[in-house]
Amino acid sequence: MSSVPVREADVQLSNNQKDFIVKALLEEIRVDGRRPHDYRKVSFQYTLDDSSCTVLLGQTRVLSVVTAALEAPYPDRPNEGSLRFNVEFSPMASPNFEPGRPTENANELARLIERGLRETKAVDLEALCVLAGRKVWSLRVDVHILDHNGNLADAASLSALAALLAFRRPEVTLEAGEVGEGQQVVVHPPDVREPLPLSIHHTPLCITFASFQAGELMVVDPNLEEEAAASGLMTVVMNAFGELCAVQKTSGIGLPATEVMRLIRLAEQKAKQLSEMLQASLKKHDVERVQARIRRHNQIPLAPQLQGRAVAILNSSDVIGGGARLRQQDSGTDDSDLVSTSESESESDDQEMEIEAEDQIENRDAADVEKVSTSGNVADNMAEGYKDSQSQLSSVTQHVTHAKANWRQARPPKAADVKQEQPDPDLQNRAAFIAGMGTDLNPTLEDAVKPAAQRNKRSKTGK
């Protein structure tokens, strides 16, 4: 069989180095200080967009990216989605890796991951069906080897599984289309509806062993030097329930059945330990996702003030979206501590936000009251000043009017004030008629003209 993680060109060891490694294993000591059945330190790094995961196994670093697209299903499986794996050996991981098409070792590693995750029905492909026979979700997992220091099989499978567990696909709904078109698929963005996780039944993990001295010495999780000095490799795929998913024996010497069964029992223990570390990292990632959404919510500015004063107080549920549903889904498992912690943190954050908003409202109200009181005092003072000025003006006007009246009464009349008018012929005739009748009345021309002069005087003085 072809070898997956072993490449003779990756590292060259002398006979003395190989003998040193074997002699150290006889004393149950490895070159990096571990015991024969000890794993290297494992760490997980997730992205907040729920699309990738980086696994660091010792100095071996692997990145897995999950992408989803709506495609037509296969004719023989109209109700199932698809799941594909692609492994790429990056040239920066090892000087012996070349860019270009995937090599035979990369294809062999991709087939091993497919046997563990797809052939064992770990991912529910029927749950990826959107519209039977027309649209299904097609998942693609790209595994990138970033740094190679041995045991690529375990690191790649662990990274691919963690990326699938953390992945969230967009929610879709079916709506009635136009006549003759049938139903239409509507994909909702994450801001509108909370994305949904994948349905994963179990978590198969790869456990790799290296054999020395015709299978008498066995170590777990070999590094790059140990792989080069080993006489054979064996990979066991187990899940957390102790179920055997796959076994792959690479080139090397054969192993008896009793030794194979011993390695399977040892792989069961290691699979449970890795599964616990994986679940703990996922719990921590879920908390970080909620905290990141709350931080983005706190950065949302308040509504602009148009007429009057408007204050917008947003609740965390308006931004988090499906956070409550996520907690309800997790409440049925053993994640009660995580749910209580995330709820308490979200409640405390909501209380802090409400307190800050109330403080802003109080400060604005106080400023508005101060402005109103100040403006009211100014208006009162202006009104009082206006009243005083009006009263003074009226008093001055009255004084001037009385002074003019007194002056007109005191001064002697002038000839210019009375306009001499021509005698009226009718009046003269009237006077002659009266004089001819011999009455006592003897009006003169001055008496006849006096009423007209008085009228003219009144029109000039305005009285």
Coordinates of all heavy atoms in Angstrom, one line a residue, residues 290-291 294 297-298 315-316 320 327 340-356:
V290 N -21.0 34.8 20.6 CA -22.0 35.6 21.2 C -21.4 37.0 21.6 O -22.0 38.0 21.4 CB -22.7 34.9 22.3 CG1 -23.7 35.8 23.0 CG2 -23.4 33.6 21.8
Q291 N -20.2 36.9 22.2 CA -19.6 38.1 22.7 C -19.2 39.0 21.5 O -19.3 40.3 21.6 CB -18.3 37.8 23.5 CG -18.6 37.1 24.8 CD -17.3 36.7 25.5 OE1 -16.2 36.8 25.0 NE2 -17.5 36.2 26.8
I294 N -22.3 40.9 20.5 CA -22.6 41.9 21.5 C -21.7 43.1 21.3 O -22.1 44.3 21.3 CB -22.5 41.4 22.9 CG1 -23.6 40.3 23.1 CG2 -22.6 42.5 23.9 CD1 -23.5 39.7 24.5
H297 N -22.9 45.0 18.4 CA -24.1 45.7 18.8 C -23.8 47.0 19.5 O -24.5 48.0 19.3 CB -25.0 44.8 19.7 CG -26.1 45.5 20.4 ND1 -27.1 46.1 19.8 CD2 -26.2 45.8 21.7 CE1 -27.9 46.7 20.7 NE2 -27.4 46.5 21.9
N298 N -22.8 47.0 20.4 CA -22.4 48.2 21.2 C -21.9 49.3 20.3 O -21.9 50.5 20.6 CB -21.4 47.8 22.2 CG -22.0 46.9 23.3 OD1 -23.2 47.0 23.5 ND2 -21.2 46.2 24.0
N315 N -32.1 46.3 22.0 CA -31.9 45.1 22.8 C -30.9 44.1 22.1 O -30.8 44.1 20.9 CB -33.3 44.4 23.1 CG -33.1 43.3 24.2 OD1 -32.1 43.2 24.8 ND2 -34.2 42.6 24.4
S316 N -30.3 43.3 23.0 CA -29.3 42.4 22.4 C -29.9 41.3 21.5 O -29.3 40.9 20.6 CB -28.5 41.7 23.5 OG -29.4 40.9 24.3
I320 N -28.4 39.9 18.1 CA -27.9 38.5 18.2 C -28.8 37.6 17.3 O -28.3 36.7 16.7 CB -27.9 38.1 19.7 CG1 -26.9 38.9 20.5 CG2 -27.6 36.6 19.7 CD1 -26.9 38.5 21.9
R327 N -29.1 28.8 22.4 CA -29.1 28.4 23.8 C -30.1 27.3 24.0 O -29.9 26.4 24.8 CB -29.3 29.6 24.7 CG -28.1 30.6 24.7 CD -28.2 31.5 25.8 NE -29.4 32.4 25.7 CZ -29.3 33.6 25.1 NH1 -28.2 34.0 24.6 NH2 -30.4 34.3 25.0
S340 N -25.6 28.8 30.9 CA -25.8 29.8 32.0 C -24.8 30.9 32.0 O -25.1 32.0 32.2 CB -25.7 29.0 33.4 OG -24.4 28.4 33.5
T341 N -23.5 30.5 31.6 CA -22.5 31.5 31.5 C -22.8 32.5 30.4 O -22.7 33.7 30.6 CB -21.1 30.9 31.3 OG1 -20.9 29.9 32.3 CG2 -20.0 31.9 31.2
S342 N -23.1 32.0 29.2 CA -23.4 33.0 28.1 C -24.7 33.8 28.4 O -24.7 35.0 28.1 CB -23.7 32.1 26.8 OG -24.7 31.3 27.0
E343 N -25.7 33.2 29.1 CA -26.9 34.0 29.4 C -26.5 35.1 30.4 O -27.0 36.2 30.3 CB -28.0 33.1 30.0 CG -28.6 32.2 28.9 CD -29.7 31.3 29.5 OE1 -29.8 31.3 30.7 OE2 -30.4 30.7 28.7
S344 N -25.8 34.7 31.5 CA -25.4 35.7 32.5 C -24.6 36.8 31.9 O -24.8 38.0 32.2 CB -24.6 35.1 33.6 OG -23.5 34.5 33.1
E345 N -23.6 36.5 31.0 CA -22.8 37.5 30.3 C -23.7 38.4 29.5 O -23.5 39.6 29.5 CB -21.7 36.8 29.5 CG -20.7 36.2 30.4 CD -19.6 35.5 29.5 OE1 -19.8 35.5 28.3 OE2 -18.6 35.0 30.1
S346 N -24.6 37.8 28.7 CA -25.4 38.6 27.8 C -26.4 39.5 28.6 O -26.6 40.7 28.3 CB -26.2 37.7 26.9 OG -27.1 36.9 27.6
E347 N -26.9 39.0 29.8 CA -27.8 39.8 30.6 C -27.0 40.9 31.2 O -27.5 42.1 31.3 CB -28.4 38.9 31.7 CG -29.4 37.9 31.2 CD -30.0 37.0 32.3 OE1 -29.5 37.2 33.4 OE2 -30.9 36.2 32.0
S348 N -25.8 40.6 31.7 CA -25.0 41.7 32.3 C -24.6 42.8 31.3 O -24.7 44.0 31.6 CB -23.7 41.2 32.9 OG -22.9 40.5 31.9
D349 N -24.3 42.3 30.1 CA -24.0 43.3 29.0 C -25.3 44.1 28.7 O -25.2 45.3 28.4 CB -23.5 42.6 27.7 CG -22.2 41.9 28.0 OD1 -21.4 42.5 28.8 OD2 -21.9 41.0 27.3
D350 N -26.4 43.5 28.7 CA -27.7 44.2 28.4 C -27.9 45.3 29.5 O -28.4 46.4 29.2 CB -28.9 43.3 28.3 CG -28.7 42.4 27.1 OD1 -27.9 42.7 26.2 OD2 -29.4 41.3 27.0
Q351 N -27.7 44.9 30.8 CA -27.9 45.8 31.9 C -27.0 47.0 31.8 O -27.4 48.1 32.0 CB -27.7 45.1 33.2 CG -28.8 44.0 33.5 CD -28.6 43.3 34.8 OE1 -27.6 43.5 35.4 NE2 -29.4 42.4 35.1
E352 N -25.7 46.7 31.4 CA -24.8 47.8 31.3 C -25.2 48.8 30.2 O -25.1 50.0 30.3 CB -23.4 47.3 31.0 CG -22.8 46.5 32.2 CD -21.4 45.9 31.9 OE1 -21.0 46.1 30.7 OE2 -20.8 45.4 32.8
M353 N -25.6 48.2 29.1 CA -26.1 49.0 27.9 C -27.3 49.9 28.3 O -27.4 51.1 28.0 CB -26.4 48.1 26.7 CG -25.2 47.5 26.1 SD -25.7 46.1 25.0 CE -26.9 46.9 24.0
E354 N -28.2 49.3 29.1 CA -29.4 50.0 29.5 C -29.0 51.1 30.5 O -29.6 52.3 30.4 CB -30.4 49.1 30.1 CG -31.0 48.1 29.1 CD -32.0 47.2 29.8 OE1 -32.2 47.3 31.0 OE2 -32.6 46.3 29.1
I355 N -28.1 50.8 31.4 CA -27.7 51.9 32.3 C -27.0 53.0 31.6 O -27.2 54.2 31.9 CB -26.7 51.2 33.4 CG1 -27.5 50.2 34.3 CG2 -26.1 52.3 34.2 CD1 -26.6 49.5 35.2
E356 N -26.1 52.7 30.7 CA -25.5 53.8 29.9 C -26.5 54.6 29.1 O -26.4 55.8 29.1 CB -24.5 53.2 28.9 CG -23.3 52.5 29.6 CD -22.3 51.9 28.6 OE1 -22.6 52.0 27.4 OE2 -21.3 51.4 29.0

